[in-house]
């Protein structure tokens, strides 16, 4: 199963949300007045050092136990609303796509700030992919002022192809229209070549000169199949994880990173799995906990 099918299905099951974004270009409601004091407080609240995180769809107590077991500084769920399973610190909300904006997700984020104490907001998830938020640049730009109106530090949309044309066109429009993006987010699923991965992070920073969040990364073998699973070993994944986490923490412009896990039986990314089927940590998960 393609990783985006996996994510789409798991999100739908855990949140009950319809994950088909509106790409019709219809006008959206004009955002309310921006709280300039909140903008000032959050835009300048840049954390020191790269903080370790995780993306997990927290739908039950096992998800909470998995989150607790990783010893992370922050987490997100690909959704806007605070998980109701338990009060858990470090939550960063996301506006997944245009449909979420139309359903009032930004207002939900703002209404929950007294509980979440969130300072950042993540933008659209893989808008360049037809099975994710599937948004044109024009559509994303039309919604962006509503995200800005939250007053939170605002992360860019995170395309499936971070070096592709989508993000460049989006950031060009941000500059032209004098909109605000406070940090760039990226996804990466490379082979276990830590130097190449860290170079890609450096190159992204060189292009936009903004702080970087890596909101999804893990080793993947996209040529793998159920009959011929990933050619990469668990040891190669662990070496990659150890080297990249150390490298990211040496980069002063990297604020946060989050490993992406899948089921350990997944042929493409199973060697990167953090959890066994019973929810306990794999050796890769134990390493991530320790870093």
């Amino acid at each position: 199963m393609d990783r985006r099918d996996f994510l789409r299905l798991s999100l739908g099951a855990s949140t009950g949300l319809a994950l088909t974004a509106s790409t019709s270009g219809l006008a959206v409601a004009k955002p309310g007045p921006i709280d300039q004091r909140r903008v000032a407080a959050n835009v300048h609240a840049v954390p020191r050092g790269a903080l370790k995180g995780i993306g997990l769809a927290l739908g039950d107590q096992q998800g909470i136990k998995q989150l607790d077991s990783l010893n992370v500084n922050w987490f997100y769920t690909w959704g806007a609303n605070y998980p109701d399973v338990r009060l858990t610190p470090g939550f960063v909300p996301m506006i997944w796509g245009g449909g979420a904006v139309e359903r009032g997700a930004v207002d939900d984020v703002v209404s929950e700030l007294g509980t979440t104490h969130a300072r950042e907001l993540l933008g659209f998830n893989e808008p360049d992919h037809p099975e994710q938020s599937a948004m044109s640049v024009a559509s994303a730009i039309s919604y962006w002022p509503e995200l800005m109106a939250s007053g939170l530090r605002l992360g860019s949309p995170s395309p499936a192809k971070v070096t592709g044309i989508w993000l460049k066109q989006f950031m060009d429009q941000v500059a032209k229209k004098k909109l605000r993006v406070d940090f760039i987010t990226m996804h990466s699923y490379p082979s276990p070549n830590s130097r190449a991965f860290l170079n890609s992070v450096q190159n992204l920073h060189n292009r936009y000169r903004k702080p970087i969040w890596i909101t999804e990364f893990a080793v993947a073998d996209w040529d793998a199949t159920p009959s011929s699973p990933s050619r990469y070993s668990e040891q190669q994944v662990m070496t990659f994880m150890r080297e990249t986490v150390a490298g990211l923490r040496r980069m002063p412009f990297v604020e946060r990173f989050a490993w992406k896990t899948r089921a350990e039986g997944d042929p493409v990314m199973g060697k990167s799995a953090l959890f066994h089927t019973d929810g306990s940590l794999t050796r890769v998960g134990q390493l991530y906990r320790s870093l």
Side-chain angles (χ1 to χ4, degrees), residues 89-261:
F91 175 63
V92 179
M94 171 187 279
I95 306 301
W96 194 86
V101 179
E102 293 174 356
R103 289 190 295 271
V106 178
D107 289 340
D108 291 344
V109 168
V110 173
S111 71
E112 292 181 344
L113 289 177
T115 300
T116 65
H117 306 291
R119 290 180 175 269
E120 294 90 5
L121 179 63
L122 297 173
F124 308 127
N125 188 73
E126 298 194 352
D128 57 335
H129 195 281
E131 294 180 359
Q132 292 299 304
S133 62
M135 303 174 72
S136 67
V137 169
S139 177
I141 287 292
S142 73
Y143 289 120
W144 204 249
E146 294 203 50
L147 277 66
M148 290 172 55
S150 70
L152 302 176
R153 291 185 70 232
L154 190 52
S156 72
S158 191
K161 297 180 180 179
V162 72
T163 58
I165 193 64
W166 198 99
L167 185 60
K168 181 183 185 304
Q169 291 178 343
F170 177 85
M171 292 302 291
D172 286 347
Q173 287 297 306
V174 164
K176 180 180 179 180
K177 296 179 180 293
K178 296 181 169 39
L179 301 177
R180 177 169 60 86
V181 169
D182 299 302
F183 55 94
I184 303 294
T185 66
M186 68 174 284
H187 293 175
S188 182
Y189 292 91
S191 65
N193 184 330
S194 57
R195 179 176 295 183
F197 169 78
L198 293 171
N199 283 342
S200 71
V201 177
Q202 180 69 59
N203 291 338
L204 187 65
H205 175 67
N206 291 347
R207 174 177 286 190
Y208 298 111
R209 294 296 174 184
K210 290 182 180 290
I212 304 294
W213 288 32
I214 301 93
T215 50
E216 292 184 21
F217 81 116
V219 172
D221 181 356
W222 296 107
D223 294 324
T225 65
S227 60
S228 180
S230 177
R231 77 194 90 165
Y232 306 125
S233 68
E234 182 184 64
Q235 190 57 52
Q236 285 178 295
V237 172
M238 293 173 70
T239 298
F240 173 87
M241 176 185 282
R242 188 179 294 107
E243 292 176 350
T244 54
V245 168
L248 293 172
R249 285 179 169 152
R250 287 193 295 267
M251 293 176 163
F253 53 83
V254 174
E255 293 183 356
R256 302 193 183 200
F257 59 87
W259 191 262
K260 177 66 171 68
T261 188

Side-chain angles (χ1 to χ4, degrees), residues 14-31:
S14 62
T15 66
L17 294 178
L19 299 185
T20 301
S22 169
T23 57
S24 62
L26 295 176
V28 296
K30 184 178 180 181

